[in-house]
């Protein structure tokens, strides 16, 4: 029997949806927001299976009828719709993601207008199984402006018996006109205890890639996201983080050669810039947040050797606004590097050089 992925730690979001579902007040569009890897796409698929698994002719969009168990989104596991949604073969479900550019035959990094137009056409068709049509956009914040404008039209005039589920990691990137026409459903980062339990269970599986000695580090670096923690485990994120902290602990007084060697090593992997960049950006953001709250770095950072001492020294070396400013610059630099394919090694080195400048009391260039 095909089974949908389990959803853990998002009971509040599930209950919010089920209240609308069972009360016959189901909005035609939902915006599922929150950090990456916390279950937004899983919840969207479980909602799709629940909606598509209801008997045909049992009410309209605004009269869904009962379903689920105890406030949880629990589709009937024996209904054929569950197996079809799990396999991605349900005729009344579309998953809208960045497609392939026919000119380059490479995966796009954004959803374009043609993708959205096809989804709109699909939503307007008569459901193949007589029930509903469901479109999941994953992720909605990856739509370009033309695609977003096209989607807005269907939000303004939704077809009958059509449900739109927008998954968004950074909902602020969406136009306000889209956000205002969707029912919000916010998923929260998982508590560390739940995340540690899930990772420990995964670590017991063969070839999990999770070393027992790294488990606590992965919990802290995962920031409440199972997906992020597993991604870091798969790509050696703990080792990358420790090397990154070694470089940060040398500030001020960065050795550009060591920074370049680090950048050269991590960017050999196609996803190296993303992992190292996210970890570096997150470290500087944590530094600024710690300074703003007046918190103890020992409690705010994962605890790599020398990490708390480095944070204390850096916070004393420059005013808080400098660290906020350099974080903004690094975020912009790394975002551009990924978007327009700048040299990833030089981008990482430049980020370290900017941090070294601030640690010396200056301003980044």
């Amino acid at each position: 029997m095909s089974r949908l992925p389990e959803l853990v730690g998002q009971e509040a979001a599930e209950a919010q949806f089920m209240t609308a579902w069972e009360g016959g007040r189901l909005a035609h569009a939902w915006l599922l927001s929150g950090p990456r890897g916390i279950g937004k796409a899983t919840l969207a698929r479980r909602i799709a299976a629940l909606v598509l698994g209801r008997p045909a002719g049992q009410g309209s969009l605004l009269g869904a009828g009962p379903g689920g168990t105890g406030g949880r989104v629990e589709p009937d596991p024996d209904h054929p719709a569950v197996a079809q949604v799990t396999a991605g073969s349900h005729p009344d479900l579309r998953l809208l993601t960045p497609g392939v550019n026919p000119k380059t035959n490479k995966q796009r990094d954004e959803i374009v207008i043609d993708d959205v137009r096809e989804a709109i056409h699909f939503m307007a068709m008569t459901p193949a199984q007589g029930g509903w049509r469901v479109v999941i956009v994953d992720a909605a914040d990856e739509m370009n402006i033309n695609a977003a404008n096209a989607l807005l039209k269907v939000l303004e005039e939704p077809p009958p018996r059509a449900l739109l589920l927008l998954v968004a990691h950074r909902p602020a990137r969406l136009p306000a006109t889209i956000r205002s026409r969707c029912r919000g459903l916010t998923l929260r980062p998982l508590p560390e205890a739940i995340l540690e339990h899930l990772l420990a269970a995964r670590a017991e599986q063969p070839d999990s890639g999770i070393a027992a000695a790294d488990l606590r580090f992965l919990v802290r670096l995962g920031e409440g996201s199972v997906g992020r923690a597993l991604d870091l485990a798969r790509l050696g994120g703990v080792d990358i983080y420790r090397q990154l902290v070694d470089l940060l602990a040398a500030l001020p007084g960065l050795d550009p050669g060591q920074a370049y060697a680090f950048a050269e090593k991590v960017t050999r992997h196609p996803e190296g810039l993303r992992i190292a960049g996210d970890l570096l950006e997150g470290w500087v953001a944590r530094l600024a947040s710690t300074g703003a709250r007046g918190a103890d770095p020992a409690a705010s950072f994962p605890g790599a050797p020398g990490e708390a001492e480095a944070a204390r020294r850096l916070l004393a070396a420059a005013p808080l606004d400098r660290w906020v400013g350099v974080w903004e610059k690094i975020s912009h630099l790394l975002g551009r590097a990924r978007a327009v394919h700048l040299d990833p090694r030089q981008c990482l080195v430049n980020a370290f050089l900017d941090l070294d400048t601030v640690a010396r009391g200056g301003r980044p260039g």
Side-chain angles (χ1 to χ4, degrees):
M1 181 192 307
S2 298
R3 301 186 65 86
L4 290 164
E6 294 296 325
L7 184 65
V8 179
Q10 301 298 345
E11 290 82 4
E14 291 184 88
Q16 184 180 343
F17 176 84
M18 290 306 300
T19 297
W21 168 260
E22 294 174 340
R25 300 185 303 276
L26 194 62
H28 65 274
W30 291 75
L31 178 60
L32 286 67
S33 61
R36 289 181 182 272
I38 61 172
K40 299 185 301 298
T42 295
L43 178 56
R45 285 168 173 79
R46 294 182 71 85
I47 289 173
L50 178 68
V51 171
L52 295 171
R54 57 188 280 272
Q58 197 181 74
S60 66
L61 184 64
L62 297 179
T69 304
R72 302 296 302 274
V73 178
E74 293 286 357
D76 179 0
D78 297 322
H79 196 287
V82 172
Q84 290 176 309
V85 170
T86 303
S89 61
H90 197 290
D92 291 323
L93 173 65
R94 284 289 185 278
L95 178 61
L96 182 56
T97 61
V100 174
N101 188 329
K103 295 181 180 179
T104 63
N105 203 33
K106 293 183 178 180
Q107 190 81 21
R108 290 191 175 102
D109 57 6
E110 62 180 8
I111 295 173
V112 299
I113 189 169
D114 287 343
D115 299 326
V116 172
R117 284 173 175 164
E118 192 280 331
I120 292 173
H121 175 71
F122 168 81
M123 293 178 70
M125 296 172 63
T126 302
Q129 295 188 358
W132 295 24
R133 292 230 155 188
V134 180
V135 170
I136 300 173
V137 184
D138 187 8
D141 43 321
E142 293 172 352
M143 292 187 294
N144 64 25
I145 188 60
N146 292 330
N149 287 336
L151 189 71
L152 180 60
K153 295 179 181 179
V154 78
L155 289 172
E156 292 172 339
E157 299 180 12
R161 291 188 299 166
L163 180 63
L164 187 62
L165 303 172
L166 306 183
V167 173
H169 313 305
R170 297 183 179 181
R173 290 185 174 181
L174 288 169
T177 48
I178 286 183
R179 299 197 305 270
S180 66
R181 287 168 171 79
C182 297
R183 172 81 178 268
L185 199 60
T186 302
L187 280 70
R188 305 295 181 186
L190 297 175
E192 286 193 358
I194 292 179
L195 183 56
E196 184 168 7
H197 173 75
L198 294 174
L199 292 177
R202 183 66 65 93
E204 295 176 356
Q205 300 177 7
D207 303 322
S208 69
I210 301 176
D214 293 340
L215 184 61
R216 189 59 190 163
F217 248 97
L218 287 171
V219 170
R220 298 298 301 274
L221 293 176
E223 298 177 353
S225 165
V226 175
R228 175 181 168 85
L230 293 176
D231 206 27
L232 289 169
R234 176 175 62 89
L235 297 171
V238 172
D239 287 339
I240 292 173
Y241 186 78
R242 287 173 174 148
Q243 295 170 49
L244 183 151
V245 170
D246 287 343
L247 289 170
L248 293 169
L251 303 177
L254 176 73
D255 182 339
Q258 291 182 349
Y260 189 87
F262 169 78
E264 172 74 22
K265 180 179 179 180
V266 299
T267 57
R268 288 173 187 165
H269 192 284
E271 297 183 74
L273 175 64
R274 176 177 65 83
I275 292 296
D278 285 351
L279 290 173
L280 178 59
E281 185 180 343
W283 198 94
V284 181
R286 192 178 291 114
L287 180 72
S289 174
T290 299
R293 293 181 288 112
D296 180 4
S300 303
F301 288 82
E307 185 171 24
E309 293 79 2
R312 292 190 188 97
R313 187 177 65 255
L314 292 176
L315 285 172
L320 182 61
D321 67 299
R322 300 278 178 90
W323 295 114
V324 174
V326 76
W327 168 73
E328 291 175 342
K329 182 177 180 183
I330 290 173
S331 298
H332 178 72
L333 173 66
L334 294 174
R336 278 186 53 79
R338 291 186 282 261
V340 299
H341 308 295
L342 300 177
D343 182 351
R345 295 164 298 184
Q346 194 59 52
C347 287
L348 281 175
V349 172
N350 288 345
F352 280 111
L353 291 173
D354 282 336
L355 289 167
D356 195 63
T357 297
V358 174
R360 293 177 185 275
R363 295 181 181 274

